[in-house]
Amino acid sequence: MLCLVGASATVALLMFALPPHDETLLQWAWLHGAISASMAWATTLPRWWVPILLLFAPAALLALTLEIPPLVWLLAALLPWLVFRGALRDRVPLFLSDQPAIDRLLELVTSEHPVSVVDLGCGTGGLLQALRRARPIARLRGVENAPLTWLIARWRLRDAAVDVAYGSIWDEPLSHHDVVYAYLSPAAMPRLWAKACQEMRPGSLLVSNSFEVPGVPAQHILTLSGTGMATALHVWQMSEDGTASAAHAG
Ligand SMILES: C[S@@+](CC[C@H](N)C(=O)[O-])C[C@H]1O[C@@H](n2cnc3c(N)ncnc32)[C@H](O)[C@@H]1O
């Protein structure tokens, strides 16, 4: 955003300050692209931002010539927000646990007594639905903050005794869960770990699909056999002093 604003201000200044020539709007747009891309190049932004910023203004100008109704643009902006809200604030997009991950999680959720499991960022509720079928006595809860995804999860689990809450995972108390499952992103892991250490009770399990906690090796790594993106479940068992103990995970 700063690159775009910076380039817009520079181009606007040049447009007013320079004596009128016969530059076209498209030429100004390319200048805008070149400035914002150079700004991205000069900063620590990941390199893939450079082509995006280079093409942004020319693409926007081209889009204007298509005379698409403004409502379509509004919907195009709204829809991703309804599904990918978590990617904006927490850098956690939507991708779903696959069957190998569910099967390995089931190894940690006994069918002998009612284990309490929370899926932090439950997406469209597929994991909770699978747990409900395999472990009917488990107490299940999901938390999700993307409106459309949450609605889908609610609808899918409408007949099941599964609590699907609309809200942020950072407001979810973790103290009364036996298993806390999270499939988030590397960016969220340090904060999740701090929260887990503060709130999770001794003996409970933190299970992270795919993502490690920097500097805190998991006690157990349950590898996944599938061909999907997820490679392993990382498992920590919380100890008395609010950190991970070297105890077995199951
Ligand atoms: C990678 S998906 C995992 C979905 C599901 N847990 C599964 O394993 O199939 C992560 C989910 O977390 C949600 N999310 C991200 N940040 C969140 C937050 N602060 N509060 C609640 N949900 C969040 C995203 O919207 C997304 O649906």
Side-chain angles (χ1 to χ4, degrees):
M1 285 302 287
L2 281 179
C3 293
L4 287 177
V5 171
S8 303
T10 314
V11 168
L13 216 77
L14 287 173
M15 283 172 112
F16 286 109
L18 292 178
H21 285 289
D22 45 4
E23 293 91 0
T24 63
L25 263 182
L26 189 62
Q27 285 169 326
W28 285 113
W30 279 115
L31 179 65
H32 182 287
I35 296 171
S36 53
S38 313
M39 288 170 75
W41 184 269
T43 64
T44 53
L45 275 181
R47 286 288 175 252
W48 47 266
W49 276 106
V50 173
I52 292 176
L53 289 166
L54 178 70
L55 296 176
F56 184 84
L61 197 65
L62 190 74
L64 280 177
T65 64
L66 300 178
E67 292 183 9
I68 294 169
L71 191 66
V72 174
W73 295 118
L74 183 66
L75 286 178
L78 206 63
L79 256 179
W81 181 81
L82 288 173
V83 178
F84 294 110
R85 183 180 171 197
L88 289 180
R89 277 197 59 177
D90 294 305
R91 301 174 68 191
V92 178
L94 174 69
F95 30 82
L96 304 174
S97 293
D98 55 9
Q99 196 56 46
I102 293 167
D103 290 342
R104 299 242 60 181
L105 179 62
L106 284 172
E107 292 172 23
L108 304 171
V109 181
T110 175
S111 54
E112 275 143 38
H113 52 90
V115 173
S116 166
V117 184
V118 63
D119 182 4
L120 293 179
C122 64
T124 52
L127 178 106
L128 289 171
Q129 201 173 39
L131 285 179
R132 164 59 55 214
R133 284 196 196 112
R135 299 285 184 269
I137 64 161
R139 281 177 282 123
L140 303 177
R141 179 171 164 86
V143 187
E144 175 58 50
N145 76 344
L148 190 58
T149 333
W150 168 77
L151 256 182
I152 295 171
R154 275 299 293 253
W155 184 79
R156 281 175 90 175
L157 294 156
R158 63 194 178 285
D159 296 329
V162 178
D163 200 5
V164 183
Y166 180 73
S168 172
I169 58 173
W170 307 119
D171 299 329
E172 172 70 8
L174 303 180
S175 55
H176 48 275
H177 298 298
D178 303 300
V179 178
V180 173
Y181 179 82
Y183 188 15
L184 300 173
S185 79
M189 293 312 290
R191 189 172 175 192
L192 176 64
W193 178 248
K195 184 172 166 63
C197 289
Q198 221 164 38
E199 299 177 17
M200 286 178 68
R201 63 172 178 235
S204 58
L205 301 180
L206 174 65
V207 183
S208 167
N209 188 336
S210 300
F211 305 114
E212 299 170 43
V213 176
V216 190
Q219 290 131 3
H220 285 263
I221 296 181
L222 309 179
T223 50
L224 303 177
S225 55
T227 52
M229 283 191 301
T231 50
L233 298 189
H234 302 263
V235 184
W236 296 263
Q237 185 168 43
M238 307 314 286
S239 65
E240 288 293 341
D241 60 2
T243 58
S245 74
H248 69 281

